[in-house]
Structure formats: structure tokens, C-alpha cells
Amino acid sequence: MEGFAILLLLLLLLCSFVISNLTVSIAVDTLNATNQSIRDGEMIVSLGGRFELGFFSPPSSTNRFVGIWYGNISVPTVVWVANREAPLQDLSGVLKLTNQGILVLLNHNGSTVWSSNSSRPARRPVAQLLDSGNLIVKEENDNNPENFLWQSFDYPCDTLLSGMKLGRNFITGLDRYLSSWKSLDDPSHGNFTYRYDIGGFPESVLRDGSVVIFRPGPWNGLRFSGAPGLKQNHLFTFEFVLNEKEVYFSYKLRNSSILSMMVLNSEGSWQRMKWIEETRSWEVYFRVQMDNCDNYALCSSYGSCNANKAPQYCSCLKGFVPKFPEKWNNKLWSNGCVRKTPLNCSSDGFLKHSGVKLPDSRQSWFNYSMNLEECKNLCKKDCSCTAYANLDIRNGGSGCLLWFVDLVDIRELTENGQEIYIRVAASELGMKPVILKLQQGKNERRRIAFICMFSIAVLILGLALVFYLWRMSCGKKPGLLTAVPESSSNVKNQKEGLELPLFDFATIACATGNFSTANKLGEGGFGSVYKGILKDGQEIAVKRLSRSSSQGLHEFKNEVLHIAKLKHRNLVKLLGCCIQGDEKMLIYEFMSNKSLDFFIFDQSQSISLDWPMRYHIINGIARGLLYLHQDSRQRIIHRDLKAGNVLLDHEMNPKISDFGMARSFEEKETTANTKNVVGTYGYMAPEYAIDGLYSIKSDVFSFGVLVLEIVSGKRNRGFCHPDHQLNLLGHAWRLFTAGEPMELISSPIRETCNPSEVLRSIHVGLLCVQQSSEDRPNMSNVVLMLGSHGPLPQPKQPGFFTERDLVESSSSSTSHKLLSSNDCTISQLEAR
Ligand SMILES: *[C@@H]1O[C@H](CO)[C@@H](O)[C@H](O)[C@H]1NC(C)=O
Ligand SMILES: *[C@@H]1O[C@H](CO)[C@@H](O)[C@H](O)[C@H]1NC(C)=O
Ligand SMILES: *[C@@H]1O[C@H](CO)[C@@H](O)[C@H](O)[C@H]1NC(C)=O
Ligand SMILES: *[C@@H]1O[C@H](CO)[C@@H](O)[C@H](O)[C@H]1NC(C)=O
Ligand SMILES: *[C@@H]1O[C@H](CO)[C@@H](O)[C@H](O)[C@H]1NC(C)=O
Ligand SMILES: *[C@@H]1O[C@H](CO)[C@@H](O)[C@H](O)[C@H]1NC(C)=O
Ligand SMILES: *[C@@H]1O[C@H](CO)[C@@H](O)[C@H](O)[C@H]1NC(C)=O
Ligand SMILES: *[C@@H]1O[C@H](CO)[C@@H](O)[C@H](O)[C@H]1NC(C)=O
Ligand SMILES: *[C@@H]1O[C@H](CO)[C@@H](O)[C@H](O)[C@H]1NC(C)=O
Ligand SMILES: *[C@@H]1O[C@H](CO)[C@@H](O)[C@H](O)[C@H]1NC(C)=O
């Protein structure tokens, strides 16, 4: 009875939506001042059909807002909201254009809830929704953008569309800035704003409330100094304009049939989204904040951040030392660095730093017409000037940027960094006499350089020859695999020009002692792994794939080429492959510290893995997985991420192995045999283990398990607790909800651990193992969450919370062994 009533109500609601004069307004993109208005349920549509203006409710909210959204896609996406702070409570809202050219939103009793503004009185105003997503008010026959009476592009919300300006108008004072939604369900002003600051050189900053959390750096003529990845490409072009009238940033999409926008989301991430029609979803195309070093001033004054040195991100600039060395070494960087030697104005010099993001320039001074020499002289003359740099790096550099404050928020960049000259005392300049001497005899220097280079070249040639001859003594030298040589059916890879050494069987047999059991490192679903030493002394790991694989030669070679293209410091490097008859082998770099499971689950070994190392490993795995999921050219789902597949090099850097294997093998085999779910129990997401559905979110699940294992030192599968029957996930969840998450940590790391990092890891781990794959974050969020200090969402109950809810089925990758310990019997997984 009740259900029926609800159904009726729903129907009624639906009808009221459909009956309203939708048909009247749908074809129109213009609102007339004289007699037209739109009511809730009606909308106007831009001429090309791309954008719609009307009333909407955000998900799980009944509040009504007037907004503009992408209308022609399966997921209508709101890009602008009029009454952000003044929602309507019912469906009686009306949007009208007054005779004065003002848009007003009226509620049920005719009170104005929101209104636009107009710079001058109008005669025959009309409001029009353009195909760019801009809602404008103009005189009926005046299409000159300069004369628009009002436009929504001047009042951005959280979205920057193609053609919108982000910045300030110095004459009118108009400040176009973005501010995030409070949450997905609430478009009112959230905590984050992205706005131009015009105190010194105009620079945009992202704030959380009033606190700066990120700045992309000053514009250098080509890009923003600290956002090297934000560059013009096939998708869009952009510009930064700074003149007496205004400063702004704006971009244009090259191809108007592609949907893409830049959004400041409610979590404070500033990113470009792109609509993917195949998956019917918005994908993060590019995230402006890259890593931890993008946390504003992480290393404080005169510190420099390097993301590759994680977790010891910060170091002092040359000529500076930590203010409090002990704190600094404990990763408390907030006190920054101080000068080794105090300045003495007249005799000071400048140290050049290359490949960096320029420091905060909001209080700097600049001049576009000066050159670097003039810039230097000006800085040198002023004792309070701390650094100088070119303003524009194009054409060898021009312009001058001067700093007069302590330098903060410098980071090292692996690509597209800039140069800056930082003032230090003369005694810190070092090397000076040598440089002077060399400069005295320029010709002499050239001659020395030439002789040096010549001898080095001869040496290298000689060594190469010796090496070649030596190699010949054990098998032939590796050939080069460039796609599929025998056949012409696939030339795609040939074009890419990728070359991968092709080892011959004899070489590998020779290196591994004819695959002796003594050299066997492990056995897995895809085959066995052997250690080998090549004639030149290089240590290798050889994965000899099981012959049962039905994969053809073609597919195998192309697959290997795909894998070889994946290059990241947290992925194991593929050195080559070997194909002979039905033997297929992959040759990897050898990792001296074996795999992670060897350390974390072993009582004696786990002592040597302290918390900083574990945290370093967690972050490394996250970055490697992010690369597989998002940054590599093809998306790779690992599908068998586990401790045994994380190898450790001599510096304990984690490297994910077996990536791409799932892709190369499983595709064919699952279709042939649906029982073969490749993966490992204890790490498999519920939807994958039960339904065989895999996605990047099933990898995220495995990552979450791995994090909890690293923190606790216990295997998820085979976990056993006297108080309950839960597995590790259930146990962690129980402790977390009971407010005792620290109880989870493994005893060897209690001493060395940093509680906030541990808590964050457990929290993120639990977010990753949530039952529903939609709830789980993606890896880019994981990387951001691990690196930030902001609040985290509350996790929901994990999937496979107890072991009993797993319906066991046979698996190619797992074998079972019954093992009895204490009073509970567990079926223990045998790692591959
Ligand atoms: C719909 O439009 C027609 C004429 O265009 C008008 O007579 C009618 O009252 C309108 N209905 C509503 C619900 O606005
Ligand atoms: C607006 O109203 C005026 C006068 O009624 C009419 O001439 C004009 O065509 C209308 N414009 C639109 C877009 O409906
Ligand atoms: C109302 O708008 C319609 C269509 O724009 C127009 O034809 C009509 O003349 C307008 N009526 C008045 C009273 O302005
Ligand atoms: C809207 O979608 C239809 C069907 O998918 C397509 O034909 C049309 O080109 C789209 N229009 C725009 C503006 O994208
Ligand atoms: C209109 O309604 C609102 C909310 O229901 C109320 O606060 C306001 O006083 C009303 N205004 C008039 C003029 O009745
Ligand atoms: C509208 O413009 C006037 C004058 O330009 C200004 O004083 C007023 O604050 C503006 N109102 C809004 C809501 O922007
Ligand atoms: C926004 O800031 C308020 C006050 O500082 C805080 O309570 C809230 O959690 C923040 N929201 C987000 C999403 O960060
Ligand atoms: C624009 O993108 C569409 C869809 O991807 C493509 O079909 C079209 O060729 C592109 N146009 C240009 C000029 O690149
Ligand atoms: C600064 O350097 C000059 C020149 O080298 C020297 O004469 C002077 O004593 C120095 N002053 C201080 C305070 O060190
Ligand atoms: C910028 O530098 C040029 C060349 O040195 C000079 O002529 C000009 O006055 C400077 N501009 C300002 C605003 O200082």
C-alpha cells in the first residue's frame, strides 16, 4: 500500500516535470524580457545543443538551483550555478529577465532569491545561453562581447570553461576566481578558492579557507613555473595576459567537439577533466598538483622539495642549513633553513640554481624590459634583495623578477625547471679561483676539453670492443626485437621504434645454470622465476612462462613491447625477452632484496624494516600503481598486486613486478576458462573474486590490503585472532571503529613510527578496501591523501570482512595448504 502511494507520488512528480512547458522553451536559447520566463522544469538550450540552463537538484539533495550544465551527454554535468548560497526549497522558482536587463530568480511568493547585475540601463535586453556555456544579457541586436550587459563567465563557480578568463580587471576591479562546491551535494561556497593575487608579480594561488595550499608558480612566457605538466597540447592552447588593464589565464579547446573543462573540486584538487564517450564518464585528464612537493611551502624558508627523495622530501638550498637540525631530520621542516654565513651586502654573490620552480613571487618586483645583467646589478645594489631571475624564459630569457623576502615554496622539477640566482655570502660561492683561472686562458681550456673528450671516446670504444668479444663467448649477443619480424601483419610497433633486446635461449640457460633448482627464486601462476648472471656480470631475474599459455607468438611479442614501454622508478624494469620454440621468457633487472613479503611477514626480517622505510614503500607502490592506472599511455590493471609482487632494490625502493602479465595472459584465458580468476585470495576485491569483474578499483582494493599488511605485519589471509573470526581487514575495521587503530601496528615498528603517518595509512588502507568499488578512491586520490594533511572521508565497511564470505573456486594462481595454528584452522595461501 505504502509502496503504491510512493509510486503514485513519483509518477505525479514525473508528470509535473514533463507537463510544464518544456516543449515551448526547449528549442530556444534566448529569454525575452517582455513576457518570457523559465519555471522549474523548463529550460533553455544553447543553439548547438551543448549546454542547458534550468533548474536542478544536486545528487541526494532536494534543494533547487538554477544552473548551466552540459546537456548533450549521459551524465548532465553542472558547470555554473546562479543561486549558490540561496537554494529554493520547492519547485515554484521562476527565472525572469527584467526590463532593466537584470536576471532575477523569484521564489513561491515572488521574493527575489538571486539576481544578476548590470553595468548600465538597457532598452531591449535579452538573455541568451551561448554554445560556449556563457549566459549573457545583451541588447537585442548588439552581439559585441564588449557591450554585454552581464555574463555568467564573469562570475565563475568551480569550473573554468574554454574561453573563460580567470583573473582580475584592474580597471573595473572585477575579480574572476573559482571557488569549490562545499560537497558534491551542495554547490554553496566550499573551503577552496583559486584566485589571482596581485601584490607583486600576479600569481594565482589555491587556498583552503585563508591558508595558501598550492601555487602553480609565476608565468614564465611558456607555462607556469611550477606546473611543468600544464602545457599546450593537442587538446587545448592557453594564454596568460598581463597588461595595464588586466591579468588573466584562459584556455581554448582546439577541437570543439571534445568536451573538457578545468575544475576546482570540493576536495581542493585543481584538475582538467575530459569526457570519455566510451565509458560515459569524466576522466581526470591532468591534475595540476602533482605530488607532496606541491604542498605550499612544505620545506619552508630556503628549503627545496624533491619528490624523488620521499619521504625525506626537503633539503636546504646550497649555502643554507636547517634552523633546527634535529627537527629537520625528523621530517619537521616548518622552521626552514638559515644562512650558513650571514650576508655582507657589498661583497655578496649569487648562486645559480637550475631546474627549479620559482619561489613565491607574490611580493616580488618585476620589469619586463630589463635583461638578466641589469637585473643582477639591481639586486646586488639593494641589500634586501634575496634573489633574481628572468621573468620570461623564451628566446634565451628576458625581464627581471626580484625577491625581497625569504624564499619559500621552491621545488626541484624533473622537467621544465627554471633558473634562479640566490644571494649568498661571498664565502659560500666556492670554486671561484678555479673558474677565474680557466677564464684567463680560454684557448687553453678548449684544448684541455678536447683532449679529455677524445680520450674518453677512445676509452669507451675500446671497452665496448672488449665487452663485445667477451659476450661472444657465451651464446650470441642479444638481437633487437622491433615488433614482429616474421610477418608484416603488425607494423604499429615498428613505427614506434621501440627496441627491446631479444636474448637467445643458450644465453639464458647459461646464465641460470640451465635453470637449476638452486637458482630458482619462486614459482607462480605464470611460470617460474630464476636468478641468473650474464657473462658481463649483470644479475638478472628470468621469468620462464609456463608452456600452457595458449598465447601466440605475435601476441606475446606485441605484449612484451607494450610492457617494455612502461617505465617508472616503482616498476621493475624489463631488460628483454627470449623466445625459442614454445619457450617464452622475460628478463628483468634483479632485485637484491627479494620481495616485500620476505620482510614484513617474517619475524626476524621485519625488525630491519622500520616505519620510515615502510612509509616510503607504501608511497612508492602507490605511485607505481598510479602510473599503471593513469599515467602510462595504455591503462594497465595489475590484477595480482600483493606483497610477493613488490620487489625491493638495494636501497629498499619498492618496484612492482608482474604488471602487464595479467593483461597479456588473462584476456585469452578467462574467456576460455571462466574459472580462472587470476589473482590471489586475500588481495582480491569482492566483485572480482565473485563475479570476475575487474577494474582499476580492484587493484585499489589489493593496494589497501597491502597497506594494512605493511602496517600490521600480518597477512590478510590466514590472519587469526583469539577474540574473533575476522580476517585482517575485519580486524582493522573493528579497531578503527573502536577508535583504537594504533593497536593494529606491528610491534617492531612501534618505536620508529610516526603516529600521524600510521593513522593516515590505516585510514587510506580502509578507504581502499571498501565493499563497493565506487566508494574506493582512485590511485591519484590515494597518492594525494597519503601526502596531505587534510581530513579524509569516513570509510565504510570493507569487502571480505570475514573470510567466510568468500566462495572458493579453483584458481590458476593459488594453491592451498591447510595449516593449523592455535585453535583456528585456516587455509593458507601459498604465494606464487
Ligand atoms: C504552456 O504554454 C501555453 C501557450 O504557449 C500556455 O497557454 C499554457 O498556460 C502554458 N502552461 C504552463 C503550465 O505554463
Ligand atoms: C521578444 O519579444 C519581442 C517583442 O514581443 C519580439 O519582437 C522578439 O522577437 C522576442 N524575441 C524572442 C527571442 O522571443
Ligand atoms: C511574448 O513573446 C512572444 C514570443 O517571443 C511574442 O510573440 C509576443 O508578442 C510577446 N508578447 C508580448 C505581450 O510582448
Ligand atoms: C548531441 O548528441 C547527438 C547524439 O549523440 C550528436 O549527434 C550531436 O552532435 C551532439 N551535439 C553536440 C553539440 O555535441
Ligand atoms: C516569502 O517566503 C519566505 C520563505 O517562505 C519568507 O521568509 C518571506 O517572508 C516571504 N515574503 C513575503 C513577501 O511574503
Ligand atoms: C551591482 O553593481 C553595483 C554597481 O556596479 C554594485 O554596487 C553592487 O554591489 C553590485 N551587486 C552585485 C550583487 O554584484
Ligand atoms: C572546511 O573548513 C571547515 C572549517 O575549517 C572544516 O570544518 C571543514 O571540515 C572543511 N571542509 C573540507 C571539505 O575541507
Ligand atoms: C575533433 O574530434 C572529433 C572526435 O574526436 C574528431 O572526429 C574530429 O576529426 C576532430 N576534428 C579535428 C579538426 O581535429
Ligand atoms: C664586508 O666585506 C667587505 C669587503 O670584503 C669588508 O671590508 C667588510 O669588513 C665586510 N663587513 C663585514 C661586516 O663582514
Ligand atoms: C623597466 O626597465 C626599463 C629598462 O631598464 C626602464 O626603462 C623602465 O623604467 C623600468 N620600468 C619600471 C616600471 O621600473
Side-chain angles (χ1 to χ4, degrees):
M1 205 47 212
E2 214 176 273
F4 184 68
I6 290 174
L7 199 76
L8 211 92
L9 200 77
L10 267 175
L11 266 173
L12 269 172
L13 273 177
L14 256 173
C15 287
S16 70
F17 205 87
V18 176
I19 293 167
S20 60
N21 270 346
L22 254 172
T23 42
V24 177
S25 357
I26 200 160
V28 184
D29 68 345
T30 307
L31 201 58
N32 209 327
T34 40
N35 64 359
Q36 282 181 347
S37 59
I38 38 175
R39 300 169 179 284
D40 201 326
E42 303 172 345
M43 60 187 182
I44 57 176
V45 180
S46 66
L47 199 59
R50 168 144 308 167
F51 288 98
E52 296 170 358
L53 166 76
F55 291 77
F56 75 97
S57 291
S60 63
S61 163
T62 54
N63 287 338
R64 302 296 285 170
F65 296 91
V66 167
I68 297 172
W69 57 84
Y70 276 104
N72 204 22
I73 49 176
S74 46
V75 185
T77 308
V78 176
V79 297
W80 182 80
V81 184
N83 54 326
R84 293 182 76 172
E85 298 294 337
L88 292 162
Q89 257 77 40
D90 55 27
L91 303 178
S92 61
V94 182
L95 182 69
K96 266 194 176 147
L97 182 66
T98 68
N99 288 324
Q100 290 76 41
I102 305 220
L103 284 165
V104 290
L105 177 60
L106 306 175
N107 68 5
H108 61 99
N109 60 15
S111 325
T112 301
V113 169
W114 171 87
S115 72
S116 72
N117 209 347
S118 174
S119 45
R120 53 182 188 279
R123 282 175 301 136
R124 290 167 62 83
V126 290
Q128 187 177 11
L129 180 60
L130 304 181
D131 230 16
S132 59
N134 195 4
L135 174 64
I136 59 165
V137 178
K138 58 165 192 176
E139 289 293 352
E140 193 170 8
N141 297 316
D142 189 350
N143 287 322
N144 182 354
E146 299 278 308
N147 298 336
F148 289 165
L149 299 169
W150 180 88
Q151 52 182 326
S152 63
F153 271 18
D154 282 346
Y155 303 91
C157 290
D158 66 341
T159 305
L160 194 71
L161 292 170
S162 176
M164 260 168 117
K165 290 176 177 178
L166 178 78
R168 299 245 197 160
N169 186 318
F170 301 130
I171 293 166
T172 63
L174 183 67
D175 182 6
R176 303 184 191 91
Y177 68 96
L178 298 176
S179 84
S180 65
W181 285 28
K182 193 159 258 163
S183 70
L184 286 177
D185 303 324
D186 183 359
S188 65
H189 290 89
N191 290 355
F192 302 99
T193 54
Y194 185 60
R195 189 171 198 160
Y196 268 88
D197 209 323
I198 53 174
F201 184 75
E203 206 186 329
S204 54
V205 288
L206 180 55
R207 285 189 174 84
D208 179 355
S210 58
V211 181
V212 175
I213 56 168
F214 169 68
R215 48 179 277 279
W219 179 261
N220 63 25
L222 289 176
R223 58 185 165 263
F224 296 101
S225 170
L230 180 63
K231 47 194 169 197
Q232 323 233 24
N233 61 15
H234 61 279
L235 187 64
F236 61 94
T237 62
F238 57 65
E239 59 176 348
F240 170 83
V241 170
L242 173 60
N243 53 34
E244 314 78 60
K245 261 178 66 190
E246 56 186 343
V247 56
Y248 68 84
F249 163 72
S250 160
Y251 71 87
K252 285 214 164 53
L253 293 173
R254 287 185 194 267
N255 182 342
S256 62
S257 62
I258 287 171
L259 307 189
S260 172
M261 57 187 178
M262 291 193 78
V263 178
L264 174 61
N265 73 15
S266 52
E267 267 121 43
S269 181
W270 171 225
Q271 55 197 23
R272 172 171 287 287
M273 313 292 292
K274 186 178 174 207
W275 175 256
I276 309 293
E277 191 54 46
E278 291 75 40
T279 58
R280 302 192 166 188
S281 61
W282 288 97
E283 187 178 84
V284 178
Y285 178 82
F286 173 73
R287 198 182 295 274
V288 184
Q289 294 116 300
M290 300 178 283
D291 49 43
N292 268 355
C293 285
D294 281 334
N295 288 322
Y296 177 73
L298 182 72
C299 304
S300 200
S301 316
Y302 300 109
S304 170
C305 192
N306 185 338
N308 290 332
K309 290 193 183 148
Q312 191 65 47
Y313 290 102
C314 296
S315 49
C316 288
L317 291 169
K318 199 153 172 266
F320 295 83
V321 289
K323 188 163 183 192
F324 300 115
E326 246 165 67
K327 283 191 181 173
W328 187 267
N329 292 337
N330 276 325
K331 304 203 277 292
L332 300 171
W333 300 300
S334 58
N335 296 101
C337 306
V338 291
R339 293 181 186 281
K340 265 193 212 158
T341 319
L343 294 177
N344 162 351
C345 187
S346 56
S347 66
D348 298 339
F350 293 91
L351 263 180
K352 176 174 166 180
H353 294 258
S354 302
V356 299
K357 164 184 178 178
L358 295 184
D360 193 342
S361 62
R362 286 178 298 147
Q363 294 177 45
S364 58
W365 179 93
F366 66 100
N367 181 329
Y368 268 109
S369 43
M370 287 165 87
N371 64 29
L372 199 60
E373 193 57 32
E374 293 168 322
C375 193
K376 176 183 181 173
N377 292 336
L378 196 58
C379 190
K380 192 156 174 129
K381 262 194 282 175
D382 188 327
C383 299
S384 61
C385 177
T386 48
Y388 69 93
N390 263 145
L391 196 50
D392 190 329
I393 60 169
R394 288 173 299 180
N395 306 322
S398 62
C400 176
L401 192 53
L402 298 182
W403 284 264
F404 298 93
V405 291
D406 287 343
L407 308 174
V408 297
D409 203 33
I410 297 175
R411 66 170 291 171
E412 286 168 49
L413 294 167
T414 44
E415 54 164 344
N416 293 334
Q418 281 181 248
E419 287 165 0
I420 183 172
Y421 301 82
I422 296 177
R423 186 178 213 119
V424 290
S427 60
E428 297 297 332
L429 286 171
M431 298 294 291
K432 214 171 179 180
V434 182
I435 292 166
L436 284 176
K437 206 166 139 197
L438 278 176
Q439 270 166 353
Q440 276 163 8
K442 246 185 184 166
N443 285 335
E444 181 70 7
R445 198 172 69 179
R446 278 203 195 133
R447 236 179 63 199
I448 292 172
F450 179 73
I451 291 171
C452 278
M453 273 161 65
F454 185 73
S455 6
I456 289 171
V458 167
L459 199 72
I460 289 175
L461 270 175
L463 277 175
L465 191 69
V466 170
F467 176 69
Y468 177 80
L469 291 174
W470 187 15
R471 247 244 170 87
M472 294 294 277
S473 61
C474 180
K476 277 183 276 175
K477 77 176 171 85
L480 290 177
L481 172 64
T482 49
V484 185
E486 299 93 330
S487 142
S488 59
S489 70
N490 188 333
V491 288
K492 219 159 107 207
N493 289 316
Q494 232 144 8
K495 277 194 204 143
E496 310 249 339
L498 183 82
E499 295 189 339
L500 188 71
L502 196 58
F503 291 82
D504 71 357
F505 187 79
T507 310
I508 300 303
C510 176
T512 56
N514 214 0
F515 302 101
S516 73
T517 31
N519 282 331
K520 192 158 166 175
L521 295 170
E523 172 98 50
F526 299 125
S528 313
V529 186
Y530 298 86
K531 180 181 175 175
I533 300 178
L534 293 177
K535 265 286 164 188
D536 60 2
Q538 186 179 9
E539 293 184 310
I540 54 171
V542 178
K543 176 154 262 178
R544 191 184 196 181
L545 303 168
S546 48
R547 296 177 196 208
S548 58
S549 159
S550 58
Q551 201 178 30
L553 205 58
H554 271 307
E555 289 102 320
F556 177 72
K557 285 182 179 175
N558 283 322
E559 217 39 75
V560 168
L561 283 167
H562 271 302
I563 300 172
K565 275 187 224 152
L566 299 172
K567 289 205 168 71
H568 189 270
R569 60 197 304 272
N570 294 112
L571 300 181
V572 174
K573 198 159 93 196
L574 184 65
L575 299 176
C577 70
C578 168
I579 305 168
Q580 188 143 341
D582 55 356
E583 282 281 2
K584 300 181 197 112
M585 283 177 273
L586 295 173
I587 321 302
Y588 290 101
E589 59 179 335
F590 180 74
M591 291 291 135
S592 53
N593 273 323
K594 303 189 182 168
S595 54
L596 185 56
D597 55 343
F598 176 74
F599 281 91
I600 55 176
F601 302 133
D602 185 286
Q603 282 209 331
S604 53
Q605 294 295 336
S606 68
I607 295 165
S608 61
L609 206 59
D610 63 7
W611 175 253
M613 247 185 234
R614 289 182 196 224
Y615 198 54
H616 173 68
I617 290 171
I618 291 174
N619 278 296
I621 301 169
R623 281 195 297 268
L625 201 53
L626 170 63
Y627 174 82
L628 288 179
H629 284 180
Q630 193 171 315
D631 298 346
S632 61
R633 271 199 285 167
Q634 70 267 44
R635 268 168 173 254
I636 302 282
I637 301 173
H638 190 296
R639 287 207 273 174
D640 197 12
L641 184 68
K642 58 179 176 182
N645 276 341
V646 174
L647 308 185
L648 298 167
D649 72 3
H650 62 287
E651 286 178 316
M652 299 302 272
N653 291 311
K655 308 224 175 198
I656 300 174
S657 72
D658 262 15
F659 52 90
M661 294 306 294
R663 177 188 144 108
S664 62
F665 284 81
E666 189 44 27
E667 233 85 78
K668 283 94 199 173
E669 285 177 6
T670 23
T671 47
N673 181 0
T674 46
K675 275 189 291 179
N676 273 350
V677 172
V678 170
T680 304
Y681 288 132
Y683 291 95
M684 271 190 275
E687 72 277 6
Y688 179 37
I690 294 173
D691 300 324
L693 294 174
Y694 62 89
S695 68
I696 53 174
K697 294 295 184 70
S698 27
D699 275 357
V700 171
F701 185 94
S702 311
F703 174 78
V705 174
L706 196 47
V707 169
L708 294 173
E709 289 186 336
I710 293 172
V711 173
S712 67
K714 305 268 180 3
R715 283 184 199 275
N716 181 33
R717 196 112 201 289
F719 178 81
C720 178
H721 196 276
D723 296 348
H724 54 69
Q725 295 284 304
L726 302 173
N727 63 9
L728 177 65
L729 303 189
H731 181 59
W733 171 245
R734 201 173 131 129
L735 291 173
F736 184 82
T737 48
E740 301 172 330
M742 293 301 280
E743 293 299 306
L744 190 67
I745 57 174
S746 156
S747 45
I749 57 169
R750 269 179 213 280
E751 310 270 286
T752 56
C753 83
N754 168 336
S756 81
E757 285 175 357
V758 170
L759 282 179
R760 190 154 275 269
S761 304
I762 295 173
H763 199 141
V764 169
L766 284 170
L767 285 170
C768 292
V769 298
Q770 293 177 97
Q771 169 79 35
S772 158
S773 62
E774 286 108 65
D775 290 337
R776 294 172 213 148
N778 56 25
M779 285 315 293
S780 53
N781 279 332
V782 168
V783 169
L784 274 183
M785 288 194 285
L786 284 172
S788 73
H789 300 282
L792 298 175
Q794 205 56 23
K796 297 182 188 154
Q797 180 175 310
F800 289 154
F801 172 118
T802 72
E803 270 191 52
R804 319 294 168 256
D805 54 11
L806 172 61
V807 187
E808 299 211 347
S809 61
S810 77
S811 159
S812 66
S813 168
T814 54
S815 61
H816 302 275
K817 195 162 75 179
L818 282 175
L819 177 121
S820 205
S821 73
N822 308 344
D823 55 350
C824 48
T825 306
I826 46 186
S827 76
Q828 159 102 33
L829 158 93
E830 182 66 14
R832 304 182 350 217

